[in-house]
Amino acid sequence: DVVVYAPSNYEIATSSSGTYGDNLTVSQTSGSASMTIYVRLKAGLSVGSYTGNVSITSVNAASQSVAVSGSVMVPDPAITDPSVSSLSGFIYAQGAGPSSAQTFTTGGIFLNAPIGVKAPADYEISTTSGSGYTDSLTLSPTSGTVATSTIYVRLKSGLSVGTYNADSVVMTSTGATTKFVKLNGSVIAGTINLPNPSTLSGFNYSTGNGPSRVQSFTVSAVNLIDSLKISCQSSNFEVSLSPNSGFVPGFSGNTGGLAIAPTAGSVNATIYVRMVAGLTASSSAYLNKRINITSFGSNTVIDTLNGVVYSPS
């Protein structure tokens, strides 16, 4: 049989995925033997060059050898690929920021310097979910390694309406390939839709009577960050969320009127309106009055009201 010996620091096997060792035996059949031998440098060696000869022997046969050489090198510093290549959906209504946070993970091996994590101008980052947000972070290695770390990202508060796309969190370290996580976000404006109908007329009664009959309009809004406020320009009209009760006068300063809290930023409501009782007779004093429909950071829309108080005839 043929006996094959590996040199120091190397090991051999009869298949690439087989069991490696310092030597192996190739059985002969009728005096012949043939086998492919796989050679590899052992694990756990120090940095340096390693040479030697694989020795091939058999009784009464001239020995042969195969020269082998290899090396263990100092590895290049590496920043771990981030867990995601991009994060999207950073969003808030104008005046309500910052956005909710999203996360990715990163780390590093064989580092000679810390990992610097830099947020783009309109975003901020932290290593904790609820605090410590800043423009940049430093992840310091221990024995060249930065353990897998979670980075929290959010869109900054106070931004104008618009999109904030194609910006990236940048991760750098001396000698390592720079890594990126692309960010996409937006700041949106609250929108109040035109009421339906936009004009209400026929709030009429004769002196000594009143209030007028009740009429209604519908209003809707999206992306609100504050209550939808329904305020009458004139104290001669009052509003309610019910056709039969709960009527209140328009805003005086910051009181009165209606304030409808949004659900998930949206409002869909029916507003009931009537002209108050006890007004003096006039065919013009109660015309072209308006209801203002407003919310912080949103557009303002107007509903027009017309009424007449008649003198008895």
Side-chain angles (χ1 to χ4, degrees):
D1 293 340
V2 176
V3 182
V4 185
Y5 296 94
S8 178
N9 302 315
Y10 286 84
E11 53 193 4
I12 53 178
T14 56
S15 70
S16 61
S17 58
T19 301
Y20 284 81
D22 294 332
N23 61 82
L24 57 83
T25 299
V26 181
S27 298
Q28 59 84 23
T29 301
S30 300
S32 296
S34 178
M35 181 67 69
T36 298
I37 306 300
Y38 293 81
V39 188
R40 71 184 184 187
L41 197 59
K42 288 182 177 179
L45 300 178
S46 301
V47 172
S49 297
Y50 297 89
T51 59
N53 292 283
V54 177
S55 178
I56 308 162
T57 66
S58 186
V59 176
N60 296 328
S63 297
Q64 301 291 336
S65 64
V66 175
V68 292
S69 64
S71 60
V72 176
M73 300 176 293
V74 177
D76 292 330
I79 299 172
T80 307
D81 286 337
S83 55
V84 296
S85 60
S86 64
L87 293 170
S88 299
F90 298 96
I91 188 169
Y92 64 83
Q94 185 181 24
S99 71
S100 298
Q102 299 185 56
T103 65
F104 67 89
T105 60
T106 190
I109 54 175
F110 310 126
L111 298 175
N112 300 314
I115 298 174
V117 186
K118 177 68 174 175
D122 300 311
Y123 290 81
E124 54 193 1
I125 53 179
S126 177
T127 54
T128 57
S129 61
S131 62
Y133 282 89
T134 182
D135 294 333
S136 61
L137 298 169
T138 299
L139 306 178
S140 298
T142 300
S143 300
T145 297
V146 170
T148 300
S149 303
T150 299
I151 307 298
Y152 294 82
V153 188
R154 67 186 187 187
L155 191 62
K156 286 181 177 179
S157 62
L159 299 177
S160 301
V161 172
T163 57
Y164 298 88
N165 296 340
D167 293 325
S168 295
V169 176
V170 181
M171 288 149 279
T172 60
S173 185
T174 303
T177 300
T178 300
K179 300 297 173 69
F180 303 88
V181 173
K182 185 178 177 180
L183 308 177
N184 293 298
S186 60
V187 176
I188 56 178
T191 300
I192 304 171
N193 299 313
L194 290 175
N196 182 32
S198 59
T199 299
L200 295 173
S201 299
F203 295 98
N204 306 327
Y205 63 84
S206 59
T207 53
N209 296 301
S212 71
R213 69 188 178 96
V214 174
Q215 299 187 62
S216 67
F217 64 89
T218 59
V219 64
S220 64
V222 294
N223 303 326
L224 300 185
I225 61 171
D226 195 10
S227 296
L228 186 69
K229 296 179 174 63
I230 314 296
S231 59
C232 297
Q233 176 197 36
S234 169
S235 60
N236 298 324
F237 291 87
E238 53 191 2
V239 290
S240 176
L241 294 174
S242 168
N244 301 314
S245 62
F247 283 89
V248 294
F251 271 41
S252 175
N254 207 24
T255 62
L258 299 174
I260 306 171
T263 301
S266 297
V267 168
N268 289 281
T270 299
I271 309 301
Y272 298 90
V273 189
R274 69 186 184 187
M275 193 159 62
V276 301
L279 299 178
T280 58
S282 175
S283 60
S284 61
Y286 315 117
L287 300 180
N288 297 316
K289 303 305 180 184
R290 69 186 188 189
I291 292 179
N292 292 332
I293 306 168
T294 63
S295 186
F296 179 77
S298 304
N299 59 310
T300 299
V301 296
I302 297 169
D303 209 351
T304 302
L305 308 176
N306 294 295
V308 174
V309 177
Y310 297 99
S311 295
S313 60

